[in-house]
Amino acid sequence: MTALQTAMRSQPAPAIDILRIRADFPILELEVGGKPLVYLDNAASSQMPRQVIERLVTYQTTQHANINRGVHYLSETATAEYEEARRKIQRFINAREDREVIFSSGTTDAINLVAHGYGRKFIGAGDEIILTTLEHHSNIVPWQMVAEEKGAAIRVVPVDDTGELSIDAYEKLFTPRTKFVGVSHVSNALGTVNPVKRMIAFAHARGVPVLIDGAQAVPHMAIDVQDLDCDFYAFSGHKMCGPTGIGILYGKAALLERMQPYKGGGDMILSVTFEKTTYNAIPHFFEAGTPPIAAAIGLGAAVDYMSAIGMDAIAAHEHDLLDYATEQMRRMPGVRIIGTAPHKAAVLSFAIDGVHPHDVGTLLNTEGVAVRTGHHCAQPVMQRFGVPATSRASFAVYNTMSEVDALIAGIRTVQKVFT
Amino acid sequence: MADARALYQEVILDHNRKPRNFGTLAHASHQADGHNPLCGDRITVMLDLDGERIAGIAFHGESCAICKASASMMTATVKGKTRGDAETLIGEFREMATGKREPDNLPHIGRLAVFAGVRDLPTRVKCAILPWHTLHAAINSLESTSTEAADDPMHAPIGDA
Ligand SMILES: Cc1ncc(COP(=O)(O)O)c(C=O)c1O
């Protein structure tokens, strides 16, 4: 962290101008079934501000061509804009170098890149991979594929009844065969913020690299990959006001350079003959084929947008929303909050006695309130808490206290229908 | 969207609260498990087939109100009927729930028309169909079925991110 960043962080976060922010998001003006849209499904995918939409239009109408190929004006412009987006993201997460920022199609793709590029090369028979109960399926299945192929084993960090990881148990899982750790920064199902910095330090003391699934963290808090000292950090554009189809894998250059290629094709090579192919350097080594150029540039604009508001201001606002919603829900008879860890971000999972989450979701929708219902691609979490599914409200910077009120009123309506 | 509220009408809520034929059969001749992996609904349908006649039927499991009410009304309707009658109803229910035919044009659907509204809720169609799909599997001695992939009654899986 730079001295300036440190100084800025010690200041109280400035209040945000919520009306101005809401005016940036055209979709928030929608009505659903005659009711104003109350969008509380941001953990699944967030909405896009005008600034990002307009950036996509400008790119597509004045700058588009394929990158890294042509010598003509448009190709050079598109290449420059694409690389500028990479540098914006580099600064946003405070990566040391821009070549440590790899464009992927999303968090899932980024984790698969590491499982293939690092896991399949460096994990062997009898080795162990540590994951946690809180992981999204996208940070479980790629590692199961590696483990099955190599004869490695997966060890799982348990959670307590509040949804907090047992750090004691985590530390005891390490053996001389531990070769990799994968952990989410923020749980998408419960909202728990995991103590990843401490977990990384512990793993590093035993020479074990760590991947952080930051899909639910980057949209909600300032991330500094150098301060965390993580080896890999994965996240998705569409959960942070950017487009779908784009995501980021941050990796330490020294590790990325030792990995095997993920996808083969154009752009990731320097020369190809049928006898021998020489590969391009990182990040291009991991970016085979024509990437989603517009989406990458759009993600750059999303980063600009969020930075202009300020990540600390965003975090503070969302914290207020979470605290208020938690407080309201706690007072409601027949409503149980699932995930009550002391340190949470932007996610509120809940169950209503006697009502299946699917019915909750359908009925809230009739009130214009969009929540997610289901297992949230985190079935081990559902099993741990003994529920088939939960209802989940998740917040973004543009949500308001009165939207929390609409959620609470909607829950009362659901309870009334089912009495 | 108002249609969704209409779906949660008294008949359905009542069957959800007090499901008929809920439990197990001591001497089931046929049974099948149905699973909707997208929302976690799971139900088991048990049958006591006396020749061609469904002499006994019961269901149990964990599911949303739409699925449970559908199962409850299904069991009440097919009890005492023949296998062939049940298959006809399964077909009609599926056609109605997927919006392919109006309940008015389905000669056997009767009170089950209360489920016609699911057609407007694409993510809920499978909740209503699951019990019928499972009954079909039980009649035909298939041990388990799913609303997804090869078993999908609509051949249109719904994604879940
Ligand atoms: C914690 C977490 N990891 C990974 C993912 C997968 O992200 P994507 O579907 O964008 O690849 C998600 C999103 O659903 C998530 O919440």
Side-chain angles (χ1 to χ4, degrees):
Chain A
M1 214 183 296
T2 64
L4 178 61
Q5 278 174 319
T6 311
M8 283 172 65
R9 269 172 211 194
S10 59
Q11 302 289 322
I16 61 165
D17 184 346
I18 189 72
L19 290 181
R20 243 185 75 195
I21 288 171
R22 286 185 73 81
D24 289 335
F25 291 80
I27 207 167
L28 298 180
E29 288 157 27
L30 266 190
E31 290 200 342
V32 175
K35 306 259 171 83
L37 168 69
V38 175
Y39 189 76
L40 300 177
D41 193 18
N42 295 288
S45 202
S46 57
Q47 302 298 347
M48 229 189 254
R50 227 178 274 281
Q51 289 83 341
V52 176
I53 298 168
E54 280 164 10
R55 185 66 192 87
L56 295 173
V57 172
T58 303
Y59 169 74
Q60 218 64 61
T61 49
T62 66
Q63 300 177 316
H64 173 67
N66 211 329
I67 54 166
N68 300 328
R69 297 182 187 189
V71 291
H72 56 81
Y73 167 75
L74 281 178
S75 178
E76 283 172 352
T77 307
T79 306
E81 294 297 332
Y82 180 75
E83 290 305 325
E84 179 55 25
R86 193 192 307 278
R87 284 189 293 274
K88 284 178 180 180
I89 293 150
Q90 175 204 345
R91 290 190 291 271
F92 188 61
I93 59 172
N94 196 30
R96 221 170 273 104
E97 305 172 63
D98 59 357
R99 65 192 185 115
E100 296 182 315
V101 174
I102 295 160
F103 284 116
S104 68
S105 73
T107 306
T108 304
D109 190 39
I111 296 172
N112 275 277
L113 191 165
V114 178
H116 181 92
Y118 185 92
R120 289 177 78 191
K121 185 165 179 189
F122 295 110
I123 295 171
D127 287 344
E128 294 169 1
I129 301 163
I130 295 180
L131 304 174
T132 87
T133 309
L134 295 177
E135 298 317 300
H136 185 280
H137 296 166
S138 65
N139 200 23
I140 299 174
V141 182
W143 300 110
Q144 283 175 328
M145 290 161 68
V146 171
E148 186 166 339
E149 179 185 317
K150 300 294 176 183
I154 291 177
R155 301 273 173 260
V156 185
V157 185
V159 292
D160 69 14
D161 291 341
T162 70
E164 223 178 28
L165 288 178
S166 162
I167 296 306
D168 212 36
Y170 165 71
E171 295 181 351
K172 290 202 179 100
L173 283 179
F174 279 80
T175 74
R177 302 307 310 254
T178 305
K179 287 290 157 65
F180 202 83
V181 172
V183 53
S184 49
H185 199 161
V186 173
S187 154
N188 71 310
L190 304 180
T192 315
V193 181
N194 294 318
V196 291
K197 189 171 173 180
R198 181 176 158 194
M199 294 171 80
I200 292 164
F202 188 88
H204 283 178
R206 282 143 195 87
V208 178
V210 181
L211 173 141
I212 304 297
D213 171 354
Q216 298 296 344
V218 179
H220 307 294
M221 59 186 75
I223 299 299
D224 182 333
V225 292
Q226 291 188 63
D227 180 54
L228 290 175
D229 198 27
C230 53
D231 301 279
F232 302 101
Y233 198 102
F235 55 101
S236 297
H238 69 96
K239 295 182 196 286
M240 50 188 290
C241 301
T244 54
I246 193 78
I248 298 295
L249 174 69
Y250 158 82
K252 286 181 180 166
L255 275 170
L256 292 173
E257 282 176 334
R258 290 167 56 213
M259 286 158 60
Q260 62 182 4
Y262 173 44
K263 294 169 182 164
D267 285 331
M268 56 86 72
I269 49 81
L270 288 176
S271 72
V272 175
T273 66
F274 279 104
E275 288 69 43
K276 183 166 175 56
T277 287
T278 21
Y279 293 124
N280 203 342
I282 60 165
H284 311 291
F285 179 63
F286 290 113
E287 293 179 3
T290 302
I293 308 165
I297 291 169
L299 180 55
V303 159
D304 283 345
Y305 181 80
M306 296 182 78
S307 303
I309 299 172
M311 290 313 295
D312 290 345
I314 291 173
H317 175 66
E318 291 175 354
H319 225 272
D320 289 347
L321 291 169
L322 181 64
D323 282 351
Y324 179 60
T326 304
E327 189 51 40
Q328 298 293 305
M329 233 181 247
R330 235 186 227 142
R331 289 207 220 119
M332 300 183 83
V335 179
R336 182 163 60 102
I337 295 172
I338 298 174
T340 50
H343 198 185
K344 281 179 60 172
V347 168
L348 190 55
S349 252
F350 60 96
I352 304 179
D353 288 350
V355 191
H356 190 280
H358 244 74
D359 299 312
V360 175
T362 296
L363 284 166
L364 286 179
N365 183 56
T366 65
E367 304 295 317
V369 180
V371 298
R372 173 71 193 278
T373 60
H375 53 59
H376 316 295
C377 293
Q379 287 181 348
V381 179
M382 301 297 113
Q383 280 149 22
R384 168 64 180 79
F385 286 86
V387 290
T390 73
S391 305
R392 177 187 73 185
S394 54
F395 304 107
V397 64
Y398 41 73
N399 289 127
T400 64
M401 297 292 176
S402 52
E403 288 182 310
V404 172
D405 291 337
L407 168 69
I408 300 297
I411 293 172
R412 285 210 183 90
T413 305
V414 173
Q415 288 180 314
K416 224 174 284 156
V417 170
F418 273 84
T419 45
Chain B
M1 299 302 153
D3 299 340
R5 271 304 274 287
L7 184 62
Y8 289 87
Q9 51 189 283
E10 209 36 55
V11 193
I12 288 179
L13 291 171
D14 178 62
H15 276 269
N16 175 57
R17 251 188 314 262
K18 295 185 303 248
R20 324 296 195 258
N21 305 302
F22 191 79
T24 55
L25 290 182
H27 305 288
S29 61
H30 294 67
Q31 85 175 62
D33 298 323
H35 183 210
N36 180 350
L38 297 186
C39 64
D41 282 353
R42 255 174 211 289
I43 77 159
T44 299
V45 172
M46 300 177 114
L47 291 178
D48 179 12
L49 274 182
D50 175 13
E52 283 300 300
R53 208 175 66 88
I54 300 173
I57 182 166
F59 81 99
H60 62 272
E62 195 169 353
S63 66
C64 66
I66 303 294
C67 179
K68 197 190 255 183
S70 174
S72 172
M73 291 180 72
M74 173 186 82
T75 56
T77 312
V78 302
K79 201 181 209 167
K81 296 220 163 68
T82 65
R83 279 215 263 211
D85 291 343
E87 291 284 15
T88 304
L89 257 178
I90 292 168
E92 288 194 6
F93 192 90
R94 198 179 287 178
E95 301 254 288
M96 174 182 74
T98 53
K100 293 201 181 82
R101 279 164 77 189
E102 292 300 318
D104 292 350
N105 302 330
L106 296 166
H108 307 93
I109 212 77
R111 301 181 313 137
L112 295 164
V114 293
F115 289 98
V118 289
R119 69 178 64 180
D120 299 321
L121 302 169
T123 53
R124 305 307 302 278
V125 172
K126 289 176 181 182
C127 305
I129 288 183
L130 180 66
W132 298 85
H133 202 43
T134 312
L135 173 62
H136 174 78
I139 290 176
N140 293 284
S141 301
L142 309 168
E143 271 170 15
S144 74
T145 186
S146 162
T147 54
E148 294 314 301
D151 291 334
D152 186 348
M154 295 145 71
H155 299 287
I158 297 163
D160 198 37

